[in-house]
Amino acid sequence: MGLSSFERGLERMVDGVFGRAFRSNLKPVELGRRLLREMDDHRNVDVKGRTVVPNAFTFRISRADNEQLVDVHEALVSELCDAAREYARDEGYWFLGPVKVAVEVNDQLRPGRFELVSQMQQAAGGAGAGSLVLNDGTRIPLASKPVVIGRHPDSDIVLNDANVSRRHAEVRAAGQGFAISDLQSTNGTRVNGLVVGLDHPLANGDVITIGSARIRFEAS
C-alpha cells in the first residue's frame, strides 16, 4: 500500500517538474521500492513485542542524478516519508522516532545507481514517533515539547473557531507514546467521539475533535 501511494504521488507530478527531472536512468519508484524493502529486511521485535523498523533513511546517488533532483528534492523526500508511514501502518510496524529521508552525493556511483543506508533513531526524550495531521493535510511532528491546541495566537496549533477555547488542549509525550489533555476547555475535547480529560493515551489513527477541527494522530 505504501508503494501504491508513492506511485500515485509521482503520477500527480510527472507532467510537471518530475517529468523534466527524471530523464536519467534514476527512477523514483525504485527508491520507494528499496525503502520499503529496507524496512522489511531490518525489522526487529522490541521488549514490548512490537515489530520495530528503521525510521532514518539516507539515499546516496550520483552527482549527475543529484543535479536533476534539485527542483524536486523536497517533494520526493515528502513522498518517500509518506510511503514509509503508510507501509508501517499497513504492516503493523512501529518507529522509534520520526521518519527522516536524506539524499547525499556519492561521486563513485554512476547515473541511475544508488545506495541506501537505514537506522533506527529514537526521538528526543525517548517518546517514540508521533505526529498530528490537520484537516488540510499539514503534519505536525511530536517530540518531547508539549503541543498546545487552541484559539490563542501563541498556540502551537491555532484554531480560529468560536467553539475552541484560547488554550483548549495539549498533546505531550507520555512514556514511549503520547497523550492528550483537555485544558478545562468550555466545549470539551473528544477522541474518537468520546469526551476525554487529563492524560488520555493516544493510539495510531485516533481522531481528535476540537470545535469543528478533526485532527488525526499517527504513531509514525
Side-chain angles (χ1 to χ4, degrees):
M1 293 296 293
L3 184 60
S4 297
S5 292
F6 180 66
E7 290 176 313
R8 289 196 297 271
L10 294 183
E11 288 172 0
R12 289 195 298 269
M13 291 175 281
V14 74
D15 292 331
V17 69
F18 265 112
R20 298 194 302 275
F22 289 102
R23 291 173 183 157
S24 74
N25 292 325
L26 181 65
K27 305 301 181 186
V29 71
E30 292 302 323
L31 302 183
R33 289 195 181 102
R34 184 67 185 89
L35 185 148
L36 303 190
R37 190 165 70 247
E38 187 80 1
M39 293 167 65
D40 288 334
D41 291 347
H42 293 83
R43 59 192 173 188
N44 209 334
V45 178
D46 69 5
V47 294
K48 293 187 175 181
R50 303 178 303 183
T51 301
V52 294
V53 293
N55 59 295
F57 306 90
T58 300
F59 285 96
R60 294 171 181 154
I61 64 177
S62 72
R63 186 167 298 277
D65 286 330
N66 187 66
E67 290 174 356
Q68 293 188 330
L69 262 176
V70 170
D71 291 337
V72 298
H73 178 272
E74 290 186 10
L76 179 59
V77 165
S78 177
E79 292 291 341
L80 287 166
C81 288
D82 285 346
R85 294 187 190 99
E86 182 172 346
Y87 191 61
R89 291 194 296 272
D90 291 341
E91 298 297 318
Y93 293 159
W94 287 75
F95 299 118
L96 297 180
V99 178
K100 302 176 183 177
V101 174
V103 179
E104 298 178 350
V105 170
N106 184 334
D107 287 319
Q108 305 303 313
L109 291 173
R110 300 193 304 273
R113 302 294 297 274
F114 66 89
E115 299 172 341
L116 175 60
V117 177
S118 66
Q119 292 179 294
M120 294 185 187
Q121 290 186 353
Q122 193 168 26
S131 56
L132 298 175
V133 183
L134 308 186
N135 291 345
D136 62 0
T138 301
R139 183 179 296 274
I140 310 297
L142 297 171
S144 56
K145 180 180 179 293
V147 172
V148 175
I149 306 169
R151 203 175 71 251
H152 195 282
D154 290 339
S155 299
D156 299 292
I157 297 176
V158 180
L159 300 178
N160 294 315
D161 183 335
N163 292 315
V164 175
S165 297
R166 291 169 64 81
R167 284 175 53 84
H168 196 108
E170 179 182 81
V171 177
R172 63 168 59 242
Q176 291 190 342
F178 295 89
I180 186 167
S181 292
D182 182 79
L183 301 178
Q184 298 183 330
S185 66
T186 301
N187 294 306
T189 299
R190 290 171 171 77
V191 175
N192 301 330
L194 300 176
V195 177
V196 299
L198 295 176
D199 297 325
H200 178 84
L202 291 170
N204 187 44
D206 279 353
V207 176
I208 302 164
T209 302
I210 296 177
S212 61
R214 290 168 58 85
I215 303 171
R216 187 173 72 256
F217 170 74
E218 293 188 356
S220 59

